[in-house]
Amino acid sequence: MPPTTAEVAVVGGGLAGAGAACVLAKAGHEVMLLEREASATHKICGEFLSTETQGYLRRLGLDLDGLGGHVVSHLRLVRENTIVETALPFNGMGLSRYRLDEALLNHACQCGAQLSRGQRASVADISGSIDLDVQNAGTVRTNTLFLATGKHDLRELRRHPDTPPEDLVGFKMHFDVDSTQRHALANHVELVLFAHGYAGLQRVEDGRVNLCLLAEGSWLKACGGTWEGLLEELLRTCPHLQRRLSNATPLLSQPLTIYRVPYGFVYNPPANSAGNIYRLGDQVGVISSFSGDGMGIALHSGVVAATHYLAGLDAGSYHRRIRHDIASQIWRAGLLYRASRWAPSQRLLMGWTRLMPRSLRLAASLTRIPPSAVTQAMERIP
Ligand SMILES: Cc1cc2nc3c(=O)[nH]c(=O)nc-3n(C[C@H](O)[C@H](O)[C@H](O)COP(=O)(O)OP(=O)(O)OC[C@H]3O[C@@H](n4cnc5c(N)ncnc54)[C@H](O)[C@@H]3O)c2cc1C
């Protein structure tokens, strides 16, 4: 079978890939978007949409307000029986990735991208033009690859983090909670610190509540190595989560899990890197989850890569730009995360934020993409 050709192939239809495809297709370019999932799926995520994430989605033309997300205006930081609350410096939104990613993929198609789904792509040849092997669909030949496979590396194009990922396991589960707890969670995102990790709790659409947590792998083992064991131990030792979830019903047949995320990774292109392979989203940088801005980075990188391509700038120029935009944000988020990791620093953090709750707003601002970079990128969207 002769290869199918595409001017640009985008591998991965998450927010980074679909966002880039919207920009390229709207500008009249031929884009093939390859997504391995055949239909909408749940993804592990706190599902907190920052102001940048929302801004990009609206600027791309998505009817975000029609998706039923829950407005999040306040942050509650919780440790044992201490609770500190403050207004966020912006209104966030709780919206499931199940609903959001599907809506953006559909929007990319409406913009003119050619979507091929249920197709896992791998690299066959990158020595000149790029040949992709696409499950069930033969070879796709392209001059330009946008690599947006999130946490999944293509074998030939692996990320190489400088430091090995920490022994952390992530879980996500949606719950139906009782009306008192649903009411208590209205307009709030809760960040709950516990001895072996932290959890984020917030409402998403249709009154569902998302619990997303990161815990040390050794602690998971001590809890019997299962989600059920870990949840039981968490509810036993954490009065706040006990209150929120003791009468809750899980809404997913099993939790989503992730292991050894390379937090802090920022892609540093080698001197001989290909000028026609643009890395987007988690393939270019991975920020600590608690910052709630990974989706913002994914969309920012998708837009910056696409607008660089439209301006005739190669991947080298794009990778320098994106590093400049996100490296310090990712570093600061890592620092804050490490500071919130250990019991003594957790106690210090709680004491400090009780005295100065507004310092949480400062932390939220420090872990965002610089506003000037966002404004500049948005202005370049055709
Ligand atoms: C525990 C946790 C909590 C988080 N919470 C938040 C939060 O609250 N707010 C926030 O903004 N960010 C959060 N993030 C970060 C955010 O989820 C990611 O940064 C974001 O999803 C990255 O988007 P992406 O498009 O790069 O990747 P993804 O969203 O992972 O999309 C990648 C896509 O590529 C597809 N794919 C993979 N391999 C192939 C292949 N070979 N061929 C074809 N398709 C392929 C996948 O199916 C997927 O659809 C969290 C992350 C974690 C781990």
Side-chain angles (χ1 to χ4, degrees):
M1 199 164 59
T4 310
T5 56
E7 181 195 333
V8 181
V10 180
V11 179
L15 298 188
C22 290
V23 177
L24 294 170
K26 258 191 183 168
H29 290 260
E30 184 202 17
V31 188
M32 181 172 284
L33 178 53
L34 300 159
E35 167 54 45
R36 68 177 187 169
E37 298 293 347
S39 57
T41 48
H42 285 285
K43 286 184 176 173
I44 183 152
C45 188
E47 304 186 324
F48 175 84
L49 277 60
S50 67
T51 183
E52 297 82 27
T53 301
Q54 296 173 64
Y56 272 119
L57 292 166
R58 292 196 175 97
R59 180 69 182 83
L60 290 171
L62 184 76
D63 175 18
L64 182 61
D65 299 315
L67 296 180
H70 184 78
V71 174
V72 179
S73 54
H74 285 72
L75 167 67
R76 236 176 239 139
L77 186 65
V78 183
R79 182 177 183 272
E80 294 173 350
N81 287 313
T82 310
I83 299 179
V84 182
E85 184 169 322
T86 186
L88 286 168
F90 53 80
N91 269 356
M93 184 186 278
L95 179 66
S96 75
R97 299 295 299 273
Y98 187 90
R99 190 168 284 184
L100 173 61
D101 286 41
E102 197 61 11
L104 193 62
L105 263 185
N106 288 333
H107 185 62
C109 295
Q110 283 159 14
C111 293
Q114 189 190 331
L115 173 63
S116 188
R117 56 189 317 182
Q119 316 277 13
R120 182 192 293 267
S122 58
V123 171
D125 185 17
I126 45 171
S127 49
S129 63
I130 297 162
D131 280 356
L132 300 168
D133 265 341
V134 182
Q135 206 181 10
N136 311 324
T139 304
V140 171
R141 182 163 293 164
T142 182
N143 284 325
T144 306
L145 171 64
F146 276 31
L147 186 62
T149 50
K151 51 194 166 294
H152 309 279
D153 285 346
L154 296 194
R155 190 153 22 101
E156 303 74 6
L157 293 169
R158 280 193 202 292
R159 294 168 295 176
H160 294 287
D162 292 337
T163 46
E166 281 185 82
D167 178 32
L168 291 173
V169 190
F171 286 98
K172 163 184 148 173
M173 175 54 84
H174 280 180
F175 288 96
D176 184 17
V177 301
D178 66 40
S179 57
T180 313
Q181 300 309 323
R182 193 174 309 122
H183 184 70
L185 278 165
N187 307 120
H188 282 73
V189 56
E190 296 187 336
L191 209 52
V192 184
L193 307 177
F194 52 90
H196 303 278
Y198 68 89
L201 197 64
Q202 67 168 16
R203 280 170 61 168
V204 290
E205 70 272 13
D206 305 332
R208 298 164 83 99
V209 169
N210 181 21
L211 171 74
C212 186
L213 61 89
L214 273 181
E216 289 162 13
S218 52
W219 188 56
L220 172 66
K221 255 193 210 142
C223 297
T226 63
W227 158 246
E228 291 75 14
L230 182 138
L231 190 63
E232 193 184 316
E233 184 61 13
L234 200 54
L235 299 199
R236 195 183 65 77
T237 52
C238 180
H240 187 79
L241 287 177
Q242 219 275 335
R243 200 162 41 243
R244 292 280 183 259
L245 298 174
S246 54
N247 294 320
T249 313
L251 295 174
L252 307 176
S253 55
Q254 51 184 19
L256 282 293
T257 55
I258 194 168
Y259 183 49
R260 292 176 74 82
V261 181
Y263 290 120
F265 166 76
V266 181
Y267 179 61
N268 193 5
N272 61 351
S273 67
N276 56 351
I277 301 180
Y278 298 69
R279 286 180 185 258
L280 320 180
D282 282 357
Q283 283 289 313
V284 79
V286 184
I287 191 162
S288 291
S289 313
F290 85 97
S291 77
D293 210 25
M295 290 189 267
I297 290 182
L299 287 160
H300 179 69
S301 64
V303 166
V304 174
T307 51
H308 268 62
Y309 176 80
L310 295 180
L313 299 169
D314 72 1
S317 162
Y318 155 69
H319 285 126
R320 278 191 295 281
R321 173 79 242 172
I322 198 73
R323 229 184 123 75
H324 172 269
D325 288 355
I326 64 173
S328 352
Q329 174 200 10
I330 289 181
W331 182 79
R332 281 193 297 266
L335 205 66
L336 282 171
Y337 165 64
R338 281 190 293 279
S340 68
R341 203 45 216 285
W342 316 113
S345 49
Q346 284 183 356
R347 275 195 289 274
L348 208 67
L349 183 73
M350 294 306 293
W352 173 261
T353 51
R354 270 177 85 176
L355 283 176
M356 305 227 293
R358 287 175 75 85
S359 56
L360 286 172
R361 289 166 65 97
L362 177 68
S365 308
L366 284 174
T367 54
R368 319 238 72 80
I369 309 167
S372 57
V374 174
T375 309
Q376 203 181 64
M378 284 208 192
E379 280 169 357
R380 293 191 177 145
I381 298 177

